[in-house]
Amino acid sequence: MSATSYTIVNLPDQRTATIPKRNYLNNEDGLLSWLFTGDHKRIAILYLISITFFFFIGGAFAGLIRLELLTPQPDLVASDTYNKFFSMHGIVMIFLFLVPSVPATLGNFLIPIMLGAKDLAFPKVNLLSWYLYWIGGLFTLAALVLGGVDTGWTFTTPLSTHYLNTHVVTAATGVFIIGFSSIFTGLNFIVTIHRMRAPGMTWFRMPLFCWSNYAASILMVLGTPVLAITLVLVALERLVGIGVFDPTKGGDPLLFQHLFWFYSHPAVYIMILPGMGVISEVISTFSRKRVFGYTAVAFSSVAIALFGFFVWAHHMFIMGVSNYSALVFSLLTMLVAVPSAIKIFNWAFTLQKGSITFETPMLYAFGFLGLFTIGGMTGVFLGALGMDIHLTETYFIVAHFHFVMVGGMLMAFLAGIHFWWPKMTGRMYPESLSKLAAVTTFIGFNLTFLPQFILGYLGMPRRYHAYPPEFQVLNVLSTAGATVLGVGYMLPLLYLGWSLKYGAIAGNNPWQATGLEWQIQSPPLTENFIETPVVDHEAYDYEWLAHKTAQEVTTVG
Amino acid sequence: MHISPVLWQFLVKWLNASALFPREASTIAPYADALYFFLLLITVIGLTLVGLLVFGFSIRYRKEKHPEAIQVEGSTLLEATWTIIPLALFLIVFVWGALLYFRIYNPPTNAMNIYVVGKQWMWKAEHPGGQHEINALHVPTGRPVQLTMISQDVFHSFSIPDFRVKREVIPGRYSTVWFQATTPGTYHIFCTQYCGTNHSAMIGEVTVLSPDDYDKWTQESTSGMSLAQNGERLFASMGCNACHSGSAAARGPNLAGVYGSKLQLASGSQVLVNDAYLRDSILNPSQHITAGYAPIMPTYQGQISEDGLIDLVEYIKAMQSNYRVQQTLTTSQSNETAPTTPGVVKP
């Protein structure tokens, strides 16, 4: 197995390919056929459009925040307005973009195809979850239009329950409803992966993208209800004053912190795990190698999901948890960092002895490796008890989680979108522009968030509308970086849109990748497969692919 | 510090001048910075390693150089290596961080105590001698200072970056933090927990004085009444002495010398009487019935501000004999009303 290799010869000419006459996009016409579709691919497209919309709303708030922070004085907007900006930025980006991004778009589109199934287990539930996403999204938008909410995305009591007169309950209702969308998506994935794999598709022949989405689904199904309960309690406390979190009524404000972080720490893994799946697929394809230590990578996803439930109190080291529970949670936090480290090295060693090309998805994946390593290592700073005291609640935290979630997750999302774009639309995007966008994003990202680590160690608190003047230089750098980053995000929107009409025809398998999704037409048929495939090889088996291609060439020739 | 102190001093001086590094103004700061540099070091090494692997393999195995991939299954030895080495490093960081945590959060027993009340949007410091400061704190060098903090409304967080200390200030419970300042000067106090509209304006200044200057400051800014004296007035005006008179027939337990002792409760459990217990038994008396007494004390929830509670606690702390209670009794009967504490607890 280890030393043999095959050359792929005489590939069918991609340029002569055409968009298949019949595919999932043109199978039925009219808006209603989309709004009532049960097709997982169409729902994925609906999600893609929706989350892109919310991403740019969240991004606009990010831009306003950085613009305000250009000067130390509170000169662009009033403090209440600024507080609403960062609250909406957080709520929209986390609940309406990061959590659903990869699972709801790429996961929805790809998981059934990767497993050799015709659809997800519950197509109607899948559509329902998209509607719930929008209902929740509309509540959030309503909170915004009615005058905003200034709790921050964390809805911390007693601030949110007793001291704010903004639309807290409206926003919380939005997040509550979006939570159900997330639960349904997770449930659908779990059942589909358990029950609907094609003959021969064993657990250890599954692509790692399925493994990581499976792990994230477990977190969605088990974690999200706790968030829902917490938000209900916040709303009840605010509306009728039940006093669960109110110390003057015998309640405990720290209880809110425990409940909230019990979901919101695992939520970080809900966001990042599916992105890790994308990275496995992309790095394997463009180095033409099976993922180094497939089993370790698969199990590390599950390990992250399980450990992820036992580290929540590391958000509370300075809040007076007992010294001993602080010790336990710090230790567990260190342990959860290990599977991530394992993955990084496995990806790096996947490149070894490969035959590497540098298409756009690969550039994004490389960006992911660098940024996620920094994001992960700075997480160790925060997991270390004594260090956390100085760093927490400062810009160090802001930089850290943006490195993980934007540097990691968003790079992975863009890698995935570029990688599967030809499969989803049947067309290629302009190569040099997309590479320019990847490089711009990477540079802009680092310029935005690296100065924030230094700001954090200097002590600049997060969520500050105005700050002491000595912090200005680094803030100006950060705002400059955000401008570059903004350009980096606008570019794909433009050229991907352009490619829908003018992009070159992609053909079925433009990257010569091994996944089942690349063995069917682009864009796929509504029913994915004409006959149920039988899987007789592992994921990332490039020898099998070379054989298959050689046979096809012979038959055609 | 395990590196040469001379080298360390030189490094710190250079870093302080570079404006990319906070000043080291407490005894804790050098310890925090040592761990910071260790973490920075392993981050840079890790990142360099990943970078070298990715770029090295990318150059060595790019398609032009290496047109055919050679499939590799994996390697148990390599994978064990990159599991065990990070695990070992992270465990070192864990132990180091834990030692630092205990250093930062366990105050020495000889620390002087200052109370801090956080409220939207100011820091109010109360020295035992009765000095009050808003958004300011004066402390001497060379003496451990413990802050006993509580919030009157929402979560706040008390942070002095140049001291490398921070602690959440929580409604409904006391939290503490301590430091020993080393260098006279003024340093920022930030509120680092988002607390509403003027969160970013909740900034104070800690002024570190030499012990002599600090004594001078204490004498100049005294209000004439210590916290305990304020508490005594309050104790009288709230009528506490009617029950806690210290006599054998009193309806409430004797409070003299109770602070710091172990108390037997009616429920059978024992508690240590500290600031938090005293505060709690004033606000929720029915949950803390002392053995041998009837549960008749009413709650004072909403009737005393956090400042007032601090005064009462300081008074009870300082109460060494019943003589003071008798004095209070006399004072309260002398028709002189005690000053009411400013501010009322928000609902």
Side-chain angles (χ1 to χ4, degrees):
Chain A
M1 184 84 186
S2 63
T4 49
S5 69
Y6 299 83
T7 317
I8 298 168
V9 283
N10 298 330
L11 292 173
D13 192 347
Q14 304 286 341
R15 283 165 301 178
T16 58
T18 50
I19 297 273
K21 271 212 178 88
R22 195 166 75 84
N23 62 53
Y24 80 100
L25 291 166
N26 62 16
N27 201 27
E28 282 177 276
D29 279 333
L31 190 62
L32 287 184
S33 75
W34 281 86
L35 293 179
F36 293 106
T37 183
D39 180 5
H40 65 100
K41 297 179 291 299
R42 285 189 161 204
I43 295 171
I45 299 296
L46 292 175
Y47 262 120
L48 182 60
I49 297 166
S50 317
I51 69 160
T52 306
F53 169 73
F54 282 109
F55 173 74
F56 281 97
I57 289 187
F61 283 112
L64 290 168
I65 290 168
R66 285 308 333 162
L67 207 55
E68 167 64 57
L69 294 177
L70 198 57
T71 59
Q73 296 82 25
D75 40 15
L76 181 68
V77 290
S79 55
D80 272 329
T81 316
Y82 178 81
N83 297 342
K84 286 171 186 170
F85 284 174
F86 75 68
S87 302
M88 286 314 288
H89 170 66
I91 293 171
V92 168
M93 282 302 199
I94 287 177
F95 296 110
L96 288 160
F97 177 73
L98 285 168
V99 168
S101 60
V102 169
T105 58
L106 298 172
N108 245 331
F109 196 97
L110 294 162
I111 284 175
I113 310 182
M114 283 181 166
L115 299 173
K118 281 190 166 42
D119 207 319
L120 284 170
F122 309 114
K124 285 178 185 165
V125 173
N126 196 19
L127 183 66
L128 175 65
S129 83
W130 180 73
Y131 277 104
L132 286 172
Y133 170 89
W134 260 107
I135 295 169
L138 288 176
F139 268 97
T140 313
L141 286 179
L144 173 64
V145 174
L146 293 173
V149 62
D150 57 352
T151 56
W153 77 276
T154 50
F155 296 100
T156 309
T157 58
L159 182 68
S160 62
T161 49
H162 289 77
Y163 292 90
L164 296 176
N165 295 316
T166 51
H167 300 273
V168 179
V169 175
T170 318
T173 310
V175 173
F176 178 84
I177 297 170
I178 300 162
F180 281 93
S181 154
S182 179
I183 293 171
F184 286 152
T185 303
L187 202 66
N188 228 333
F189 285 178
I190 291 175
V191 176
T192 308
I193 290 170
H194 271 274
R195 304 289 302 170
M196 299 187 50
R197 285 172 283 128
M201 176 60 82
T202 61
W203 281 89
F204 292 99
R205 281 180 182 168
M206 268 192 340
L208 289 166
F209 182 77
C210 296
W211 270 102
S212 62
N213 272 286
Y214 180 72
S217 300
I218 294 174
L219 291 171
M220 287 185 203
V221 171
L222 296 181
T224 318
V226 180
L227 175 73
I229 292 163
T230 314
L231 291 174
V232 169
L233 289 174
V234 166
L236 285 177
E237 179 118 5
R238 194 177 164 82
L239 297 173
V240 293
I242 51 169
V244 181
F245 305 129
D246 183 357
T248 62
K249 290 182 179 163
D252 185 357
L254 281 184
L255 177 63
F256 172 86
Q257 300 284 336
H258 280 289
L259 288 173
F260 182 81
W261 290 112
F262 186 81
Y263 164 79
S264 294
H265 192 79
V268 176
Y269 303 117
I270 296 179
M271 297 173 215
I272 196 70
L273 276 168
M276 290 172 154
V278 173
I279 298 304
S280 295
E281 304 296 320
V282 168
I283 289 186
S284 161
T285 299
F286 295 107
S287 49
R288 318 217 55 73
K289 285 256 325 279
R290 90 194 284 279
V291 173
F292 191 93
Y294 167 97
T295 326
V297 178
F299 279 131
S300 66
S301 289
V302 181
I304 289 175
L306 294 180
F307 275 120
F309 271 118
F310 299 102
V311 299
W312 77 89
H314 71 207
H315 294 263
M316 303 165 66
F317 287 155
I318 67 161
M319 289 193 189
V321 289
S322 81
N323 286 350
Y324 299 100
S325 63
L327 276 182
V328 170
F329 280 102
S330 170
L331 183 61
L332 288 166
T333 304
M334 294 299 164
L335 295 183
V336 82
V338 175
S340 302
I342 294 175
K343 280 179 193 270
I344 294 277
F345 286 110
N346 274 297
W347 287 323
F349 269 81
T350 302
L351 299 169
Q352 192 205 12
K353 298 188 181 165
S355 177
I356 306 166
T357 51
F358 304 96
E359 280 85 350
T360 311
M362 191 64 153
L363 294 188
Y364 277 113
F366 281 0
F368 171 94
L369 286 184
L371 301 180
F372 186 71
T373 305
I374 297 179
M377 285 304 297
T378 49
V380 176
F381 282 63
L382 297 163
L385 285 166
M387 197 82 276
D388 177 75
I389 294 174
H390 179 55
L391 293 176
T392 191
E393 298 176 350
T394 68
Y395 262 79
F396 194 94
I397 286 271
V398 177
H400 158 69
F401 71 70
H402 279 88
F403 260 87
V404 172
M405 296 190 317
V406 186
M409 176 61 222
L410 198 52
M411 289 302 245
F413 178 71
L414 286 168
I417 286 293
H418 284 85
F419 184 54
W420 283 293
W421 190 255
K423 180 54 62 183
M424 296 167 94
T425 65
R427 290 186 186 268
M428 298 300 293
Y429 45 80
E431 186 66 21
S432 41
L433 253 181
S434 60
K435 282 185 172 156
L436 178 71
V439 174
T440 311
T441 310
F442 186 79
I443 294 172
F445 182 86
N446 281 298
L447 188 55
T448 310
F449 293 105
L450 282 177
Q452 295 185 3
F453 282 123
I454 304 171
L455 276 175
Y457 203 73
L458 282 169
M460 177 165 161
R462 65 189 288 207
R463 295 170 163 179
Y464 261 29
H465 163 233
Y467 53 85
E470 67 260 31
F471 298 139
Q472 188 175 9
V473 176
L474 290 163
N475 272 298
V476 169
L477 277 178
S478 187
T479 302
T483 316
V484 179
L485 192 58
V487 173
Y489 290 147
M490 289 303 290
L491 277 173
L493 186 71
L494 299 177
Y495 65 71
L496 288 179
W498 174 89
S499 79
L500 285 175
K501 188 143 191 215
Y502 305 104
I505 307 294
N508 294 349
N509 193 358
W511 314 122
Q512 290 300 301
T514 57
L516 278 181
E517 78 271 26
W518 299 108
Q519 316 310 324
I520 57 174
Q521 67 173 43
S522 312
L525 289 167
T526 299
E527 55 270 30
N528 298 341
F529 301 94
I530 294 166
E531 51 187 293
T532 308
V534 177
V535 181
D536 56 0
H537 59 277
E538 293 185 338
Y540 320 115
D541 190 344
Y542 289 91
E543 293 162 13
W544 164 83
L545 181 72
H547 267 307
K548 180 176 171 285
T549 317
Q551 277 168 1
E552 274 173 10
V553 171
T554 325
T555 349
V556 172
Chain B
M1 223 53 50
H2 297 295
I3 62 171
S4 143
V6 180
L7 192 64
W8 178 254
Q9 284 306 318
F10 180 78
L11 188 68
V12 165
K13 217 173 166 184
W14 178 78
L15 283 168
N16 285 348
S18 75
L20 295 178
F21 198 74
R23 288 177 291 176
E24 282 188 334
S26 76
T27 52
I28 291 161
Y31 291 97
D33 291 345
L35 176 55
Y36 179 66
F37 285 120
F38 176 72
L39 282 159
L40 218 51
L41 184 73
I42 62 172
T43 304
V44 170
I45 291 174
L47 192 63
T48 313
L49 187 64
V50 171
L52 282 177
L53 287 173
V54 169
F55 283 110
F57 289 148
S58 293
I59 293 165
R60 172 83 179 73
Y61 298 109
R62 65 185 193 276
K63 196 174 183 184
E64 299 90 85
K65 259 275 172 66
H66 199 249
E68 295 165 31
I70 299 167
Q71 298 301 323
V72 182
E73 192 76 11
S75 158
T76 316
L77 182 69
L78 268 176
E79 288 182 57
T81 313
W82 65 60
T83 309
I84 291 166
I85 292 178
L87 180 64
L89 279 174
F90 294 162
L91 288 180
I92 292 171
V93 172
F94 161 69
V95 173
W96 195 336
L99 292 174
L100 183 60
Y101 187 80
F102 286 114
R103 187 184 288 274
I104 296 177
Y105 279 166
N106 286 359
T109 43
N110 62 341
M112 61 182 268
N113 189 56
I114 299 173
Y115 289 94
V116 172
V117 178
K119 45 181 119 177
Q120 288 177 324
W121 289 274
M122 63 163 95
W123 295 111
K124 184 170 182 188
E126 306 195 8
H127 297 253
Q131 296 85 355
H132 294 286
E133 316 182 60
I134 302 285
N135 287 342
L137 181 66
H138 286 74
V139 293
T141 54
R143 255 183 95 180
V145 176
Q146 175 182 299
L147 304 181
T148 301
M149 307 184 291
I150 193 158
S151 163
Q152 196 169 291
D153 36 49
V154 301
F155 278 93
H156 300 282
S157 188
F158 186 92
S159 161
I160 306 174
D162 293 333
F163 292 0
R164 313 287 187 278
V165 296
K166 179 184 291 135
R167 187 108 200 194
E168 200 80 4
V169 180
I170 301 165
R173 66 171 79 184
Y174 289 115
S175 58
T176 61
V177 70
W178 81 276
F179 52 82
Q180 181 174 328
T182 53
T183 324
T186 56
Y187 309 94
H188 291 300
I189 299 169
F190 290 127
C191 173
T192 54
Q193 175 69 273
Y194 174 61
C195 57
T197 306
N198 286 331
H199 167 53
S200 63
M202 196 165 158
I203 296 182
E205 205 166 64
V206 54
T207 308
V208 178
L209 303 167
S210 68
D212 289 344
D213 288 343
Y214 178 72
D215 286 341
K216 219 182 279 170
W217 177 85
T218 319
Q219 277 150 24
E220 281 167 7
S221 50
T222 179
S223 62
M225 292 276 276
S226 71
L227 295 186
Q229 283 167 325
N230 282 333
E232 187 176 353
R233 294 277 197 101
L234 197 56
F235 194 81
S237 72
M238 309 278 301
C240 309
N241 39 23
C243 298
H244 299 281
S245 64
S247 70
R251 281 176 291 174
N254 184 2
L255 299 179
V258 75
Y259 187 85
S261 68
K262 282 253 167 104
L263 195 64
Q264 186 72 40
L265 295 186
S267 63
S269 58
Q270 269 201 336
V271 288
L272 175 70
V273 179
N274 55 17
D275 300 37
Y277 173 77
L278 287 177
R279 178 184 182 280
D280 204 23
S281 48
I282 296 168
L283 297 178
N284 302 306
S286 59
Q287 285 165 21
H288 308 273
I289 306 303
T290 311
Y293 291 90
I296 51 165
M297 179 165 157
T299 172
Y300 287 85
Q301 185 82 56
Q303 299 179 47
I304 314 178
S305 70
E306 290 298 347
D307 302 21
L309 283 162
I310 286 168
D311 293 341
L312 277 177
V313 167
E314 270 297 296
Y315 172 57
I316 296 169
K317 237 182 190 178
M319 202 192 265
Q320 291 309 328
S321 73
N322 292 331
Y323 173 73
R324 297 294 300 168
V325 183
Q326 291 306 327
Q327 286 274 301
T328 314
L329 218 53
T330 328
T331 321
S332 70
Q333 284 160 354
S334 72
N335 230 356
E336 182 188 321
T337 50
T340 49
T341 44
V344 179
V345 180
K346 286 192 182 183

